[in-house]
Amino acid sequence: MPHTTCPSRLDCSVGSKHHGWMAERALKVAIVGQGYVGLPLAIRSVEVGHDVVAFDVDGRRVERLKAADSYVEDISSSQLAEALATGRYLPTTDAANLAGFDVALITVPTPLKDGGPDLSFIEDAGRTLAVYLEPGATVVLESTTYPGTTDELLAGLLAKGSGLVAGRDFHLGYSPERIDPGNKAFGLAGTPKVVSGVNAASLEAVQRFYDSIVDKTIPVSGPREAELTKLIENTFRHVNVALVNELAMFAAELGVDVWEALDAASTKPFGFMRFNPGPGVGGHCLPIDPSYLSWHVRTSLGRSFRFVELANDVNDHMPQYVVERLAAALNRRKLALNGSRVLLLGLAYKPNTSDMRESPALAVAQRLVRLGAGVRYVDDHIPELEPLPGGADAQLIRGTLSADEVAAADAVVVLTDHDDIDYEFVAEHSRYVLDTRHRCRGGVVEYL
Ligand SMILES: NC(=O)c1ccc[n+]([C@@H]2O[C@H](COP(=O)([O-])OP(=O)(O)OC[C@H]3O[C@@H](n4cnc5c(N)ncnc54)[C@H](O)[C@@H]3O)[C@@H](O)[C@H]2O)c1
């Protein structure tokens, strides 16, 4: 078996239109997982001239990719069609297509299981890649995880399955994804990318690849620093969102307008960064990633990461708080939640996306169903609801935004501020609005 630290598979081989380099040889890039993170990476890699094997275990997703039917907002179906037309984008469930890869990126989920990290998807991906790993190739983990996952767990799995040693026979690194679905200002290529490797040669190989697909790479000294970088970014947001959520609850009781105070504080040109209150946190990142860090601190050091635990506590409580505020508002009109008609605007966890993962809006909806409210919703970004615990999804009735729909509701609750909702119209036709996003204006509107 050849032992090499030479990043030969990456040398002079990248055909980056983006950087104006000449292609000598297209790289074969394997992307394991075609979700919110993997699909944009795949399309970008095709754009700059690489050959991409887009491997996913979900056959339905792969069929949709093959039919140029995108399920990720940031990638349009026409972009998919263009990528397919190049003949350099191969969506597949057949791992045999991974053979001979130069670079492999792992973009599989890292959820929580019983409050701790569930690394089973990374483990499966590592075992699959190990079969096809050849000397000189490069493997990069992108999934969010705690420090040590790349150089301990993944390196071990790849070595076991291939007989090759990371840093000696092949390159291994970690590069955290910073993708922000729905963000029009910062896409994949324009957002600086932190890169790392288990040794200098690995870092060089990893950086060289990412330099071909993004404008700017930021090298750090090792995978653990890169893994922590991602957790710091998400924990920072999680904690700050919790801060303003707790403030919003106190301000409401004190009779102070927290939104006006936030507007005013935001005029400070330095030392302040705005975060907005809301019905809780959702998505794959904020409700999950900080817990990877607190779990790691607890299991490695035996101590609790108090900021993360407090932030979880505050943010997890928000859906209940929204329902309490709604109940109080109905009560003032001598109405009970039980039997009232409530219209929810937006169920996705963030505006202008269809992503419902861990959405606090769903937690609000389920709670209202349990309390006997007749719950209807409008969210044109969501084609159909996923099954919810206790069959609650069957009790949520889909509506369309009309004067009749809004006027028929005893209360309207704005949960996700999609831009396609006419908030003036909502305020004009509603009897009462609880706006958790501060988008509506008018006498019947109350804010979080
Ligand atoms: N969504 C985001 O905004 C975001 C941002 C930054 C980082 N991340 C991180 O990136 C990772 C991926 O997140 P995502 O949002 O793309 O997830 P996702 O659920 O949208 O996509 C993951 C894909 O991986 C596939 N998969 C699972 N196991 C596999 C295996 N063994 N082999 C091949 N495919 C497999 C799934 O079928 C799915 O299509 C997570 O660790 C997440 O925390 C996500």
Side-chain angles (χ1 to χ4, degrees):
M1 173 197 316
H3 289 165
T4 173
T5 51
C6 166
S8 56
R9 282 166 169 259
L10 288 164
D11 273 349
C12 313
S13 56
V14 179
S16 169
K17 287 178 205 141
H18 177 63
H19 288 94
W21 298 351
M22 288 301 291
E24 289 185 10
R25 176 174 76 84
L27 286 180
K28 179 165 179 176
V29 179
I31 303 186
V32 182
Q34 287 291 281
Y36 288 89
V37 171
L39 182 54
L41 275 167
I43 298 305
R44 179 68 188 146
S45 299
V46 171
E47 256 172 32
V48 303
H50 299 308
D51 284 321
V52 174
V53 176
F55 175 68
D56 201 294
V57 290
D58 184 336
R60 279 194 322 182
R61 281 195 154 184
V62 169
E63 284 314 309
R64 289 186 65 177
L65 294 174
K66 284 182 181 166
D69 173 17
S70 179
Y71 42 77
V72 168
E73 272 93 356
D74 290 349
I75 299 297
S76 65
S77 292
S78 59
Q79 274 176 291
L80 258 184
E82 277 171 37
L84 289 162
T86 64
R88 289 184 286 101
Y89 176 61
L90 177 66
T92 182
T93 52
D94 183 359
N97 286 310
L98 298 169
F101 71 80
D102 298 296
V103 177
L105 312 180
I106 300 176
T107 56
V108 296
T110 42
L112 290 173
K113 193 174 173 189
D114 304 327
D118 175 3
L119 298 184
S120 60
F121 299 93
I122 294 182
E123 288 166 1
D124 288 346
R127 279 191 279 267
T128 304
L129 281 174
V131 175
Y132 303 98
L133 181 59
E134 290 177 13
T138 300
V139 178
V140 189
L141 179 61
E142 289 227 4
S143 303
T144 306
T145 184
Y146 60 82
T149 308
T150 305
D151 61 12
E152 280 175 11
L153 178 96
L154 185 58
L157 282 167
L158 292 170
K160 196 169 170 206
S162 68
L164 301 176
V165 176
R168 188 189 71 183
D169 306 321
F170 69 96
H171 305 300
L172 177 63
Y174 180 84
S175 178
E177 188 43 65
R178 281 175 163 166
I179 212 145
D180 182 18
N183 189 331
K184 302 272 179 257
F186 292 99
L188 172 61
T191 307
K193 199 138 180 24
V194 172
V195 292
S196 69
V198 293
N199 61 358
S202 288
L203 172 59
E204 192 188 332
V206 171
Q207 188 167 16
R208 195 183 296 255
F209 168 70
Y210 284 106
D211 277 338
S212 75
I213 62 167
V214 303
D215 295 342
K216 187 171 184 186
T217 49
I218 317 286
V220 294
S221 63
R224 287 171 190 243
E225 284 68 28
E227 287 159 336
L228 186 59
T229 302
K230 175 71 190 178
L231 294 179
I232 291 174
E233 290 168 7
N234 283 349
T235 303
F236 172 79
R237 276 175 51 222
H238 186 53
V239 166
N240 279 288
V241 169
L243 174 69
V244 287
N245 276 340
E246 190 162 42
L247 254 177
M249 291 188 279
F250 288 143
E253 278 190 62
L254 292 169
V256 184
D257 186 340
V258 72
W259 295 92
E260 191 181 343
L262 282 168
D263 285 345
S266 302
T267 60
K268 188 178 179 188
F270 50 88
F272 182 78
M273 184 179 284
R274 182 176 184 143
F275 290 84
N276 288 323
V281 292
H284 193 302
C285 297
L286 294 203
I288 294 169
D289 301 349
S291 298
Y292 266 62
L293 193 50
S294 57
W295 176 90
H296 185 56
V297 168
R298 197 167 54 250
T299 51
S300 305
L301 306 176
R303 301 222 288 278
S304 61
F305 196 148
R306 290 167 295 166
F307 268 98
V308 170
E309 283 164 19
L310 181 60
N312 279 339
D313 198 38
V314 173
N315 289 334
D316 289 350
H317 173 68
M318 292 311 290
Q320 183 183 331
Y321 175 72
V322 170
V323 172
E324 282 165 10
R325 286 281 302 270
L326 185 58
L330 289 170
N331 191 48
R332 284 198 296 276
R333 288 157 54 205
K334 301 191 176 2
L335 293 171
L337 266 177
N338 193 351
S340 285
R341 178 162 163 164
V342 180
L343 175 65
L344 305 181
L345 297 184
L347 289 185
Y349 89 88
K350 71 186 295 190
N352 310 323
T353 77
S354 62
D355 197 341
M356 284 186 288
R357 292 177 298 178
E358 315 283 330
S359 176
L362 295 175
V364 170
Q366 287 171 71
R367 203 169 270 272
L368 290 174
V369 165
R370 273 206 307 276
L371 290 169
V375 183
R376 301 172 67 89
Y377 73 95
V378 172
D379 192 326
D380 291 343
H381 290 264
I382 293 176
E384 62 180 303
L385 286 181
E386 305 273 330
L388 292 172
D393 50 304
Q395 299 189 55
L396 302 181
I397 299 167
R398 189 186 191 99
T400 47
L401 195 62
S402 67
D404 286 348
E405 180 72 64
V406 172
D410 294 304
V412 175
V413 187
V414 178
L415 292 170
T416 317
D417 51 339
H418 292 309
D419 290 335
D420 61 1
I421 292 175
D422 182 342
Y423 295 98
E424 228 174 275
F425 176 89
V426 170
E428 191 186 327
H429 293 93
S430 298
R431 285 187 260 165
Y432 167 81
V433 183
L434 176 59
D435 181 357
T436 69
R437 304 290 184 175
H438 205 251
R439 291 289 292 261
C440 298
R441 301 287 178 270
V444 297
V445 182
E446 267 191 343
Y447 303 112
L448 201 61

